[in-house]
Amino acid sequence: MRLLADLALFSPDLPMNGKLILLVDDELYVTSVIAQQLRPRGFEVVVACDGAEALAIIKERRPDLIVSDYQMPEITGLEMAARLCEDPGTMQIPIIMTNIRAFMAKPFSIKQLLGKIERLLTAGMTDSPPLRKTA
């Protein structure tokens, strides 16, 4: 799997110590691999297995960034993102969506993901237009 191959390629530390990242995916392997790369770089990582659990975590702790799978049980990543965009308190949280070609398709490179996390946290905004609820 490409995730494992990229672990050896990415070694620089990211200057993002103390930032809270929420990983949302129903595949434990995916969140484990990503968390193993983020924690040694000073990120605090919390994990949710679906959108419903993620929304509960977000209410309790406001993450600096969310990495979410698109297709999950209960509430999909897209539904979760739409709910976050409706709330002024969470609409500015950057979200990296995986499993959609327009965002970041699986399998994705850990090096690419870490680079995107660094860019989003540095810029404080997403690299794609925000989701808007339509009537």
Side-chain angles (χ1 to χ4, degrees):
M1 183 172 206
R2 196 169 168 190
L3 287 171
L4 290 177
D6 288 324
L7 293 180
L9 298 175
F10 193 85
S11 60
D13 288 331
L14 297 174
M16 299 291 152
N17 294 347
K19 298 286 186 177
L20 175 62
I21 298 178
L22 173 60
L23 304 177
V24 189
D25 200 311
D26 57 328
E27 296 179 43
L28 182 58
Y29 173 76
V30 172
T31 56
S32 295
V33 169
I34 296 170
Q36 287 175 5
Q37 290 296 304
L38 294 174
R39 286 185 176 124
R41 289 170 174 79
F43 291 101
E44 183 180 355
V45 178
V46 292
V47 175
C49 65
D50 60 45
E53 183 180 6
L55 289 171
I57 291 171
I58 293 164
K59 282 183 181 179
E60 184 179 314
R61 305 180 69 188
R62 188 180 183 278
D64 295 293
L65 183 133
I66 300 167
V67 178
S68 177
D69 187 16
Y70 170 74
Q71 195 166 354
M72 295 178 291
E74 298 294 322
I75 296 174
T76 68
L78 191 57
E79 291 171 313
M80 177 195 69
R83 289 184 188 186
L84 294 175
C85 287
E86 292 173 353
D87 182 346
T90 58
M91 67 187 331
Q92 297 300 321
I93 300 173
I95 301 170
I96 298 173
M97 192 73 62
T98 62
N99 211 20
I100 301 177
R101 290 190 187 275
F103 296 97
M104 188 167 245
K106 285 183 179 177
F108 50 83
S109 157
I110 288 292
K111 184 176 180 181
Q112 289 173 322
L113 178 62
L114 291 170
K116 188 171 283 260
I117 287 170
E118 180 178 19
R119 284 191 306 277
L120 289 173
L121 289 176
T122 300
M125 63 181 73
T126 61
D127 60 353
S128 58
L131 297 172
R132 300 279 183 228
K133 185 176 181 177
T134 57

